[in-house]
Amino acid sequence: MLPEAVGNLSTRLGKLSVAENQLFGNIPSGLTNLVNLELLDLGDNQFTGRIPGSIGDLQKLQRLWLKGNKFWGEIPSSIGNLTSLAILDFAENMLEGSIPSSLGKCQNLILLDLSKNNLSGTIPTEVIGLPSFSIYLNLSQNQLNGPLPSNFGILKNLGVISLSENKLSGEIPSSLGSCIRLEQLVMNGNFFRGNIPSSFSSLRGIEKLDLSRNNLSGRIPKYFENFLFLQKLNLSFNHFEGEVPIKGVFSNSSAISLDGNDNLCGGISDLHLSTCSIKESKQSRRSLKLIIPVVTVILLVTGMSCFIITSWQSKSKREPATPPSALLASVLRVSYENLFKATDGFSLENLIGAGSFGSVYKGILTHDDHETLVAVKVLNLEHGGASK
């Protein structure tokens, strides 16, 4: 046991470490007399009982390790009084209850490890809102539930986030893509659903990404091929579908795990996945040629009707009138070849703009020896609502 007399040590004592021994019993109440402690390490012993609320009186503490013991009960809210804390490690105990939101007052935290306990409830936004985090945040192997806070994007300097083996649910917040210095993101063993956020394309420094054993779906993002530092990618036991990329990390079968996704195809031969159908393998490469004939009439009617009517009105003053219906009829007979020539083969130089529903090209259409400047919109029929 750690004797009560420890409280009689000099109040000028700045560091107290008794880690990695066989000490047991409760934390002696006299310990809180050491008001100038900056470091307290009781880790890897056999201490039991509750963490006393009076620990919040040690307001000069910067590093506090209680990991690897048998502490139980709730984390006292008074922990929020330790505003100088940089490192807080309560991992591998039997703590329960919720994570106190008062931890949000610890504005100097760079490391928080509460893993391997029995903590429950949601993750407080106050804790996630600490921009000081720069080493790691480990809340894994608890009973935490509910959706993730949406303010993860503030953790731009954090290196490691581990939320594995909880009961977290909902979609992965896109704000995680703002954590641009992440080297490891471990979220396996939860109930996350939906697609991998497109914002993850910003996580260029990621080395390990584990999203296994969730309910994620959709396609595997191709941008993972360009992650130069990615060494481990685990997407197993989800509901991903479609063609597996083959470059970058996907070229090494030992670096990726895709088991338990029954609707994947393609990939390198070592993965032993089924061959993608012609439709599947070419879906991402469908050219505009497939949809141009469908939209020609719509494009010309909407893009040239104003011009035709204006031209007809001006010509009516000088020559016999040509009914608008005749002009429109001629428009409807413009061929794909005419459009192809007018836009110089839909070249990028003639691209005016592009969006999720399609692209717009400028062109010069020759009609009855007259050159007409036109805008040609090419719809992307793979996008829901593009044809409406």
Side-chain angles (χ1 to χ4, degrees), residues 296-314 323-325 327-332 334 365 372-375:
T296 300
V297 173
I298 299 173
L299 302 177
L300 291 172
V301 170
T302 58
M304 294 178 61
S305 58
C306 293
F307 173 81
I308 293 170
I309 294 172
T310 302
S311 299
W312 174 71
Q313 289 176 341
S314 62
S325 59
L327 288 172
L328 289 175
S330 68
V331 170
L332 297 178
V334 174
L365 186 66
T372 303
L373 183 64
V374 295

Side-chain angles (χ1 to χ4, degrees), residues 34 98 102 252 289 369:
L34 306 178
S98 59
S102 60
N252 182 0
K289 296 178 183 178
D369 296 327

Side-chain angles (χ1 to χ4, degrees), residues 29-45:
S29 59
L31 188 64
T32 56
N33 294 334
L34 306 178
V35 293
N36 285 305
L37 278 182
E38 296 179 356
L39 181 152
L40 176 60
D41 189 353
L42 307 182
D44 297 310
N45 281 284

Side-chain angles (χ1 to χ4, degrees), residues 13-191:
L13 186 66
K15 298 179 182 179
L16 176 61
S17 176
V18 293
E20 299 181 12
N21 285 287
Q22 299 296 318
L23 298 172
F24 58 91
N26 296 336
I27 295 178
S29 59
L31 188 64
T32 56
N33 294 334
L34 306 178
V35 293
N36 285 305
L37 278 182
E38 296 179 356
L39 181 152
L40 176 60
D41 189 353
L42 307 182
D44 297 310
N45 281 284
Q46 298 182 39
F47 287 112
T48 57
R50 297 178 181 270
I51 299 173
S54 58
I55 201 166
D57 296 335
L58 301 176
Q59 296 188 17
K60 292 188 178 181
L61 271 182
Q62 298 176 15
R63 288 169 285 178
L64 176 57
W65 284 279
L66 301 183
K67 70 181 184 73
N69 284 286
K70 299 178 182 179
F71 291 116
W72 51 271
E74 297 185 354
I75 299 174
S77 61
S78 61
I79 205 77
N81 296 335
L82 306 180
T83 55
S84 297
L85 267 184
I87 296 175
L88 177 61
D89 191 344
F90 288 175
E92 300 177 47
N93 281 284
M94 297 183 290
L95 298 171
E96 56 190 15
S98 59
I99 298 173
S101 59
S102 60
L103 271 174
K105 299 177 183 179
C106 301
Q107 296 287 316
N108 294 301
L109 269 181
I110 61 174
L111 182 155
L112 175 63
D113 193 346
L114 303 178
S115 63
K116 299 182 181 179
N117 281 285
N118 294 310
L119 299 171
S120 58
T122 58
I123 300 175
T125 57
E126 294 87 350
V127 175
I128 301 303
L130 289 173
S132 56
F133 279 127
S134 59
I135 299 181
Y136 69 78
L137 170 65
N138 191 350
L139 305 179
S140 64
Q141 298 186 49
N142 280 287
Q143 302 294 319
L144 299 172
N145 55 61
L148 291 182
S150 60
N151 59 336
F152 265 94
I154 200 170
L155 305 179
K156 297 182 184 298
N157 297 313
L158 192 55
V160 177
I161 295 178
S162 182
L163 306 173
S164 63
E165 306 298 341
N166 278 287
K167 298 179 179 180
L168 299 166
S169 59
E171 296 187 353
I172 298 175
S174 60
S175 58
L176 268 171
S178 298
C179 302
I180 55 176
R181 294 191 179 180
L182 270 183
E183 297 178 2
Q184 296 185 29
L185 178 58
V186 184
M187 304 175 69
N188 58 288
N190 284 287
F191 299 100

